[in-house]
Amino acid sequence: MASNDELSVSQEDLVEAWKRTLPERLAPGDTAEVFANGADPRAFHVHIKTQGRQMMEFDFAVQYVDSREIDIQLKDVERDGQTVDERPEPIQELIGDYRRHLHETAQALHHFTHM
C-alpha cells in the first residue's frame, strides 16, 4: 500500500518513544515491554502483563500503516505461562482495553511520527 504519508522515524527511535509513552496509558500496576521487529522497520512487538489476581500476559504485533495509523494483531494470551483461550468475555474486554491503549499511544506520538 503506497502512501505519501510514510513513517519516517527509525525503528529504534520509535521503539524508545513507545517504551516511554505506553506505560502512561496502562492501568496502575500493568507493565509493558516493547521490542523491535527485526523483519519490518515499521513494526514492533508489545508484551503487556496485567496486575492483580489474573496475572495475565498479552502479546501484540503492532505495525504502522502510515505515519499516523497502526494495525494491531493479537498474538498470544497467557496465564501462568500457559496459552489461554482468548474468547471468554472478560479476556475480550481486556484485549479491547489494551488495543485502545495502543491506539492512544499512537495518537500521543503523532507529533513524533507525523512530521
Side-chain angles (χ1 to χ4, degrees), residues 3-115:
S3 172
N4 59 0
D5 189 21
E6 292 294 321
L7 182 67
S8 61
V9 176
S10 76
Q11 186 180 49
E12 182 179 335
D13 290 343
L14 190 63
V15 167
E16 287 304 314
W18 273 77
K19 285 180 179 180
R20 286 189 309 271
T21 308
L22 178 57
E24 299 170 357
R25 279 149 181 81
L26 298 177
D30 287 356
T31 60
E33 297 175 274
V34 182
F35 306 97
N37 177 335
D40 184 345
R42 298 171 301 144
F44 50 91
H45 302 281
V46 176
H47 180 81
I48 299 174
K49 293 182 182 178
T50 63
Q51 181 64 24
R53 294 178 311 209
Q54 296 153 333
M55 297 298 292
M56 297 186 71
E57 301 181 26
F58 297 81
D59 289 309
F60 295 94
V62 180
Q63 179 180 21
Y64 272 83
V65 177
D66 59 28
S67 70
R68 291 177 287 196
E69 184 181 348
I70 59 171
D71 178 61
I72 302 167
Q73 299 296 320
L74 176 68
K75 293 299 182 183
D76 192 30
V77 179
E78 293 183 356
R79 179 182 286 133
D80 297 324
Q82 300 292 317
T83 298
V84 297
D85 181 0
E86 71 265 9
R87 292 176 293 184
E89 187 64 30
I91 295 174
Q92 283 296 310
E93 288 176 14
L94 284 170
I95 292 167
D97 286 346
Y98 290 129
R99 290 177 64 84
R100 186 176 72 252
H101 296 320
L102 294 170
H103 280 290
E104 289 169 355
T105 300
Q107 288 175 342
L109 291 172
H110 277 180
H111 70 282
F112 182 70
T113 60
H114 184 68
M115 297 183 193

